[in-house]
Amino acid sequence: MTLDHLLDVTRTTMQNAKYCILATQGDTRINARVLQPFDPQSDWTIFFGTRSDSRKVVDIQQNPNTTLLYYDHDDIGYVSLQGTAKIVDDPVMRQQYWNANWRIYFPKGPDEDYTLIQFVPDRLEVLSFGHGVTPEPYGLKPAVLIRNQGDWQIASPDSK
């Protein structure tokens, strides 16, 4: 399996999943919730919209280490990304990363009570039966990629 193939399968799985789970560290436990992310950027940065007063914003401000999990039911695959998140409260970016279908949650649109989470991964795991990404032993451990100085490298599944 080549690095390019693994990155292509990762991006495809993320786009097919449509939703993901964001896990953050709260005061006493891990908090997880389903979000609708924007597609990953070419550098793998991922943006989400959320309420400015949400628990996830507080969690990220206290501890930026987060995990995203995407599951693609059709291809029987998943991508788990670990990295750091930060809150971005830039008016231009709020307009750029806005989904008109969210007006039900944000009646005043992206100008009020709406902020962005910017997530930058430094480790990802991918497993996809539909795309043949099932490292030995068959399907029991994912392929792992680690970002080193901006470039992705294939790593051992046991890499931390």
Side-chain angles (χ1 to χ4, degrees):
M1 258 173 277
T2 68
L3 177 63
D4 287 340
H5 176 68
L6 292 172
L7 290 171
D8 286 344
V9 170
T10 297
R11 188 174 297 277
T12 298
T13 301
M14 292 168 70
Q15 290 171 333
N16 288 348
K18 191 173 180 180
Y19 297 96
C20 72
I21 295 171
L22 168 70
T24 58
Q25 176 63 55
D27 287 337
T28 60
R29 63 187 70 204
I30 303 296
N31 296 314
R33 71 285 282 163
V34 176
L35 294 174
Q36 184 178 11
F38 290 93
D39 284 342
Q41 304 295 304
S42 60
D43 69 354
W44 294 93
T45 299
I46 301 159
F47 286 93
F48 307 87
T50 190
R51 291 188 55 82
S52 304
D53 61 354
S54 70
R55 182 180 61 185
K56 63 185 101 29
V57 168
V58 172
D59 287 353
I60 289 167
Q61 288 170 332
Q62 291 177 353
N63 183 344
N65 297 313
T66 54
T67 298
L68 300 180
L69 178 66
Y70 293 76
Y71 175 67
D72 181 355
H73 178 268
D74 294 337
D75 284 327
I76 310 172
Y78 77 88
V79 172
S80 176
L81 302 104
Q82 296 173 341
T84 55
K86 70 178 183 178
I87 306 308
V88 177
D89 195 24
D90 177 279
V92 173
M93 290 186 73
R94 285 197 317 254
Q95 292 290 330
Q96 180 181 354
Y97 293 100
W98 169 251
N99 182 331
N101 294 327
W102 294 345
R103 194 161 291 276
I104 190 169
Y105 306 110
F106 305 97
K108 296 180 182 177
D111 296 323
E112 230 176 278
D113 297 328
Y114 178 76
T115 194
L116 295 173
I117 297 171
Q118 177 185 7
F119 174 83
V120 178
D122 55 31
R123 183 180 196 279
L124 68 84
E125 299 177 359
V126 58
L127 186 130
S128 174
F129 287 91
H131 290 97
V133 178
T134 54
E136 295 297 331
Y138 183 73
L140 298 180
K141 289 191 175 189
V144 175
L145 302 178
I146 305 285
R147 187 180 279 184
N148 185 8
Q149 297 180 0
D151 295 324
W152 289 104
Q153 300 172 346
I154 299 174
S156 161
D158 298 323
S159 296
K160 297 198 187 262

